[in-house]
């Protein structure tokens, strides 16, 4: 078969042995059968084709059908012409197998000559039609009916028993021809499940065409001069056949780009996975999403956005590696199926090559655009055993690539919040918030003169079955599931209630609470915090909110308004994790913070890594020049303590001073600090025994 036309779904191929051996076998069988039939007719001294008026009527009708097939030039049709089949079957009923085969051969030869690029298809369809006609002839022979040019089977000879003969012959033709076409050519759209529906619908039209065969015989015998007029109903029915096929195929196409759609991709992927499972190979699915495509639509309009998508689709087509296949899933999402890949690394390389080609400048109406994309990669059988699961995991990886701005990410189960285990954990987290199972521990921030600068509230969850759940695990689930606002409310309510109790006991230490970018972007968040402070009777200066620079990435204006509202109420702000991610002076200048926290990743190697030491020194100097207090996280040894003090850091936090403690232990620790001398050595001497760093790590 020829390759699929550009913009049409690439068909699913059958097993390799089928395409390798069945087509040549069909051609060989048809050729041998034709040769035997012709030689037998000639040996018996019989004519190959009728020369009477019905014969000429058939010849003219055949010419009209051929002209129609050449004119419509429908390359998409996978099963030949229904009109030609009806004509061949009528010829079989009246004059026998050899004249019918010659009609079919004439159609194939003339259409193939007119469309040279379709010769392989035309020849294969002709061979299958010959075998179908042969099967119908054998079915008639079972009843003792063997028409020939010299002894035609005219309607005057038909009896009541003729009806089952006609039905049997038509069924034999349909079954053999359809089965061979199904096995040796590509079903509509390349999808077996959809092709079955298409076959049933088109089969109704085919039955209508073949039922006209006896009528053609009656007209050929009684009124041969009007036989060519049968071209009108045959062509009309044949066109219905074509339109049914076109509707089936168009259901699998994206109307804008002409690429296959999601329905096609899922079926094609499952077939590729089945084949990979048999051969022990890997397969990969790449999910491509354009970055900032919405801004193109909003700024330049949807028509320009559509033209951009067309250019992107063309680039993906051109850059497809090997036997890869592409589809558009909707919006600005595309997918590429790699039926065979050696490893996840090779799939990742293919993905990087694709986004590299997409990032080349595009010209749209004289405007040059540079489009970036994010790609998620999922590999069979490593990440999922079936098509739906593979697509979902590629989607998870794609969003990870967007978040990290890394371009390409391979699926990692640890980052997937929608696994059954994590979904169960999400349900448990909701229940834990209802029952108070999630607790707040408090870790001190201490100045070098021994004074407690504040406490940071940290979440701890002891699951009844799983044991202690790491904070980064359940907080990641909350952030991606919509539970984060409720978790933040729980932390604020619990922390402010504890601050109120401490103040009632004479302890006025401020408490810091981590809030996520989603909280800051929530309208009314500043007002809700102020209302909560008033309800607990806690002054705003006793609360500090720790944020990261990510709050400025999604909606800078909304974030700025919320932060301004919080500071306006008197709430202090601390910039957490400084030095990681997207740290920049622009963000530092725009954020109304009074404290800057140096990330533990720089503090941990401060003593042994000169570059980290220089980063800390520069950060301290920069913060002080802006009037900010500097706190170092993750201080675990005396040497780091002394180095930070020498660099001018203002305060430290880490398990050298104290691990995160439950409220009662924190109260006792604070009481002990009130009676201890304020020297730095005493600050370290009264610290709690060192706990495991993982336990003390400040995680939201």
């Amino acid at each position: 078969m020829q390759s699929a036309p550009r913009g049409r779904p690439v068909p699913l191929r059958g097993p390799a042995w089928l395409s390798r051996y069945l087509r040549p076998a069909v051609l060989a069988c048809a050729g041998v059968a034709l040769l035997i039939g012709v030689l037998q007719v000639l040996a018996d001294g019989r004519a190959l084709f009728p020369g009477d008026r019905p014969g000429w009527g058939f010849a003219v009708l055949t010419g009209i059908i051929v002209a129609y097939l050449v004119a419509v030039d429908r390359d998409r049709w996978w099963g030949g012409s229904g009109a030609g089949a009806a004509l061949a079957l009528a010829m079989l009923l009246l004059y026998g197998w050899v004249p019918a085969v010659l009609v079919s051969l004439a159609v194939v030869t003339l259409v193939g000559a007119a469309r040279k690029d379709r010769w392989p298809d035309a020849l294969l369809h002709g061979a299958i039609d010959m075998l179908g006609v042969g099967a119908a002839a054998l079915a008639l022979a079972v009843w003792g009916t063997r028409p020939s040019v010299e002894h035609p089977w005219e309607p005057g000879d038909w009896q009541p028993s003729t009806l089952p003969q006609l039905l049997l012959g038509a069924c034999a033709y349909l079954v053999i021809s359809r089965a061979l076409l199904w096995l040796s050519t590509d079903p509509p759209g390349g999808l077996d499940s959809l092709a079955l529906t298409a076959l049933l619908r088109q089969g109704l039209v085919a039955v209508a065409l073949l039922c006209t065969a006896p009528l053609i015989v009656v007209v050929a015998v009684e009124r041969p001069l009007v036989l060519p007029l049968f071209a009108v109903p045959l062509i009309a029915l044949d066109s219905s056949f074509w339109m049914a096929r076109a509707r089936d195929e168009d259901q699998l196409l994206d109307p804008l780009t002409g690429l296959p759609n999601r329905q096609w991709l899922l079926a094609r992927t499952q077939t590729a996975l089945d084949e990979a499972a048999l051969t022990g190979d890997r397969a990969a699915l790449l999910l491509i999403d354009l970055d900032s495509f919405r801004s193109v639509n909003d700024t330049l309009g949807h028509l320009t956005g559509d033209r951009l998508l067309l250019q992107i689709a063309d680039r993906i087509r051109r850059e497809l590696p090997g036997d890869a296949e592409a589809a558009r899933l909707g919006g600005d999402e595309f997918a590429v199926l790699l039926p065979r890949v050696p490893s996840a690394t090779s799939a990742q390389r293919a993905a990087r090559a694709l986004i590299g080609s997409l990032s080349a400048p595009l010209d749209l109406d004289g405007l040059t655009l540079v489009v970036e994309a994010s790609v998620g990669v999922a590999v069979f059988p490593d990440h999922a055993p079936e098509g739906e699961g593979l697509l979902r995991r590629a989607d998870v990886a794609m969003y990870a690539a967007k978040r990290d701005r890394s371009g390409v990410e391979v699926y990692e189960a640890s980052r997937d919040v929608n696994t059954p285990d994590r979904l169960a954990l999400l349900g448990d987290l909701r229940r834990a918030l209802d029952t108070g199972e999630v607790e707040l521990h408090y870790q001190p921030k201490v100045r070098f003169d021994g004074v407690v600068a504040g406490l940071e509230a940290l979440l701890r969850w002891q699951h009844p079955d799983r044991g202690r759940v790491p904070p980064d695990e359940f907080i990641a689930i909350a952030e991606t599931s919509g539970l984060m606002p409720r978790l933040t409310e729980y932390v604020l309510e619990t922390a402010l209630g504890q601050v109120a109790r401490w103040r009632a006991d004479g302890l006025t230490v401020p408490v810091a609470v981590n809030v996520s970018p989603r909280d800051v972007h929530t309208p009314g968040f500043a007002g809700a915090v102020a209302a909560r402070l008033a309800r607990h009777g806690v002054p705003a200066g006793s609360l500090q909110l720790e944020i990261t620079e990510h709050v400025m990435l999604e909606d800078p204006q909304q974030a700025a308004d919320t932060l301004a509202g919080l500071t306006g109420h008197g709430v202090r702000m601390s910039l957490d994790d400084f030095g990681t991610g997207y740290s920049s002076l622009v963000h530092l200048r725009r954020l109304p913070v009074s404290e800057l926290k140096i990330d533990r990743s720089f503090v941990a190697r401060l003593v042994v890594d000169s570059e980290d030491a220089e980063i800390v020194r520069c950060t301290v100097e920069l913060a002080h020049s802006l009037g900010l207090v500097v706190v170092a996280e993750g201080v675990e040894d005396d040497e780091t303590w002394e180095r930070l003090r020498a660099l001018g850091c203002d305060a430290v936090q880490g398990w050298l001073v104290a691990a995160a403690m439950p409220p009662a232990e924190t109260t006792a620790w604070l009481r002990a600090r009130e009676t201890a001398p304020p020297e730095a050595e005493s600050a370290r001497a009264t610290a709690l025994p060192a706990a495991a760093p993982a336990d003390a790590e400040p995680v939201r």
Side-chain angles (χ1 to χ4, degrees):
M1 294 285 290
Q2 299 285 328
S3 60
R6 188 170 178 233
R8 313 309 298 179
V10 179
L12 303 188
R13 304 297 176 183
W17 67 268
L18 209 55
S19 59
R20 184 178 303 173
Y21 298 116
L22 183 59
R23 297 183 187 188
V26 168
L27 293 172
C29 289
V32 170
L34 177 61
L35 181 62
I36 291 174
V38 170
L39 291 178
Q40 185 176 359
V41 169
L42 294 178
D44 294 340
R46 292 184 281 117
L48 295 175
F49 197 84
D52 53 7
R53 288 195 299 174
W56 283 105
F58 273 110
V60 173
L61 182 56
T62 300
I64 296 174
I65 297 299
V66 168
Y68 157 72
L69 293 176
V70 172
V72 294
D73 191 24
R74 289 189 173 100
D75 288 338
R76 294 189 300 178
W77 171 234
W78 68 289
S81 166
L87 191 58
L89 189 57
M91 199 71 176
L92 167 68
L93 295 178
L94 187 57
Y95 293 117
W97 183 74
V98 173
V101 166
L102 291 177
V103 168
S104 180
L105 186 61
V107 172
V108 170
T109 302
L110 294 173
V111 173
R115 294 189 289 171
K116 297 182 175 61
D117 60 320
R118 304 300 291 175
W119 252 111
D121 291 350
L123 193 60
L124 179 64
H125 292 159
I128 290 174
D129 206 47
M130 292 179 195
L131 295 180
V133 171
L138 291 176
L140 294 179
V142 170
W143 295 78
T145 302
R146 295 181 175 83
S148 65
V149 173
E150 287 76 18
H151 303 286
W153 192 29
E154 297 183 352
D157 301 327
W158 294 354
Q159 303 295 327
S161 60
T162 299
L163 180 59
Q165 293 184 55
L166 296 176
L167 292 176
L168 183 62
C171 288
Y173 173 83
L174 279 175
V175 169
I176 295 300
S177 61
R178 294 297 107 176
L180 289 177
L181 282 166
W182 186 275
L183 294 174
S184 58
T185 62
D186 308 311
L191 304 182
D192 290 340
S193 58
L194 296 174
L196 182 59
T197 303
L199 186 66
L200 293 175
R201 181 161 51 248
Q202 296 167 8
L204 295 176
V205 184
V207 169
L209 283 166
L210 294 175
C211 285
T212 62
L215 299 179
I216 295 175
V217 172
V218 172
V219 173
V221 172
E222 299 296 333
R223 295 289 187 272
L225 291 179
V226 301
L227 187 59
L229 296 180
F230 257 101
V232 175
L234 287 178
I235 290 174
L237 287 172
D238 202 47
S239 295
S240 300
F241 212 11
W242 289 98
M243 287 186 288
R245 156 62 184 160
R247 283 195 301 270
D248 294 327
E249 185 175 283
D250 288 341
Q251 289 177 4
L252 308 175
L253 292 176
D254 169 53
L256 175 63
T257 63
L259 287 173
N261 59 18
R262 179 185 292 268
Q263 187 180 17
W264 180 93
L265 176 72
L266 288 173
R268 176 66 185 100
T269 299
Q270 191 57 52
T271 300
L273 299 191
D274 293 341
E275 294 175 356
L278 291 175
T279 59
D281 292 324
R282 282 182 168 83
L285 196 62
L286 316 181
L287 188 62
I288 305 170
D289 187 88
L290 305 183
D291 298 336
S292 304
F293 176 73
R294 180 179 176 182
S295 62
V296 174
N297 273 340
D298 293 344
T299 305
L300 303 178
H302 289 277
L303 290 178
T304 301
D306 288 348
R307 290 199 295 273
L308 173 62
L309 291 175
L310 285 170
Q311 291 198 35
I312 293 296
D314 285 340
R315 285 191 176 183
I316 292 175
R317 284 190 188 99
R318 291 197 302 267
E319 297 298 327
L320 284 180
D323 57 351
E325 297 163 310
R328 183 190 177 210
L329 306 186
D332 59 341
E333 278 193 346
F334 296 84
V336 172
L337 173 66
L338 304 176
R340 287 181 178 81
V341 291
S343 64
T345 302
S346 61
Q348 192 175 21
R349 283 198 300 267
R352 292 199 180 279
L354 272 173
I355 63 172
S357 67
L358 296 182
S359 62
L362 290 165
D363 181 72
L364 286 175
D365 301 329
L367 180 64
T368 300
L369 297 178
V370 176
V371 177
E372 295 182 348
S374 299
V375 184
V377 180
V379 179
F380 167 88
D382 304 352
H383 302 145
E386 34 74 36
E388 283 274 10
L390 203 64
L391 181 59
R392 192 188 64 77
R393 283 161 174 78
D395 188 63
V396 170
M398 183 270 291
Y399 277 105
K402 274 190 174 298
R403 285 194 303 269
D404 298 346
R405 296 189 175 182
S406 57
V408 177
E409 288 290 336
V410 178
Y411 173 79
E412 294 180 12
S414 61
R415 307 182 74 173
D416 188 354
V417 299
N418 295 319
T419 61
D421 181 67
R422 290 202 165 198
L423 289 175
L425 194 62
L426 174 61
D428 292 343
L429 179 58
R430 294 181 188 275
R431 177 188 54 77
L433 291 175
D434 292 334
T435 60
E437 192 177 290
V438 177
E439 298 178 345
L440 279 189
H441 289 195
Y442 300 88
Q443 186 174 39
K445 296 184 284 186
V446 178
R447 297 208 306 250
F448 288 94
D449 60 2
V451 175
V452 179
L455 300 169
E456 181 179 2
L458 300 171
L459 283 165
R460 296 293 183 262
W461 180 20
Q462 189 71 23
H463 192 281
D465 300 320
R466 300 170 183 256
R468 181 181 171 187
V469 183
D472 56 349
E473 182 176 344
F474 68 82
I475 289 175
I477 293 175
E479 286 181 336
T480 55
S481 65
L483 193 61
M484 196 64 204
R486 183 180 172 191
L487 188 61
T488 300
E489 290 178 5
Y490 178 85
V491 174
L492 283 170
E493 185 69 23
T494 305
L496 290 177
Q498 184 61 56
V499 170
R501 288 189 289 273
W502 277 332
R503 289 180 62 83
D505 292 339
L507 299 172
T508 57
V509 61
V511 172
V513 172
N514 290 277
V515 293
S516 74
R518 178 174 294 187
D519 298 322
V520 176
H521 292 138
T522 301
F525 178 70
V529 171
R532 204 176 297 273
L533 284 166
R535 187 169 65 253
H536 286 280
V538 174
S542 295
L543 176 65
Q544 187 177 52
L545 298 182
E546 294 194 3
I547 59 174
T548 65
E549 293 168 286
H550 288 82
V551 300
M552 302 302 294
L553 295 180
E554 182 177 334
D555 190 343
Q557 188 58 53
Q558 176 65 45
D561 292 344
T562 299
L563 296 178
L566 288 167
T567 55
H569 288 299
V571 177
R572 294 186 300 155
M573 310 299 297
S574 174
L575 182 60
D576 197 11
D577 299 337
F578 187 79
T580 63
Y582 305 102
S583 297
S584 72
L585 296 179
V586 173
H587 293 158
L588 190 57
R589 180 171 56 84
R590 296 179 63 184
L591 293 170
V593 297
S594 59
E595 178 185 275
L596 185 150
K597 299 183 74 172
I598 302 176
D599 188 71
R600 62 184 295 114
S601 61
F602 297 105
V603 175
R605 295 178 52 83
L606 174 66
V607 177
V608 297
D609 191 315
S610 60
E611 291 185 358
D612 283 356
E614 185 63 18
I615 290 173
V616 172
R617 183 190 66 79
C618 293
T619 302
V620 171
E621 291 180 357
L622 173 64
H624 285 168
S625 69
L626 296 174
L628 305 180
V629 173
V630 181
V631 178
E633 296 179 305
V635 178
E636 300 175 359
D637 55 72
D638 288 336
E639 198 172 0
T640 303
W641 169 289
E642 296 297 341
R643 189 65 182 274
L644 286 167
R645 180 165 59 176
L647 291 173
C649 189
D650 298 299
V652 297
Q653 178 181 349
W655 62 274
L656 175 67
V657 176
M661 301 169 285
E665 291 183 23
T666 306
T667 302
W669 188 90
L670 291 172
R671 292 294 186 196
R673 300 292 296 185
E674 282 186 329
T675 60
E679 288 81 9
E681 292 300 321
S682 297
R684 294 201 301 278
T686 56
L688 290 182
D695 180 67
E697 181 180 357
V699 182
R700 292 181 189 79

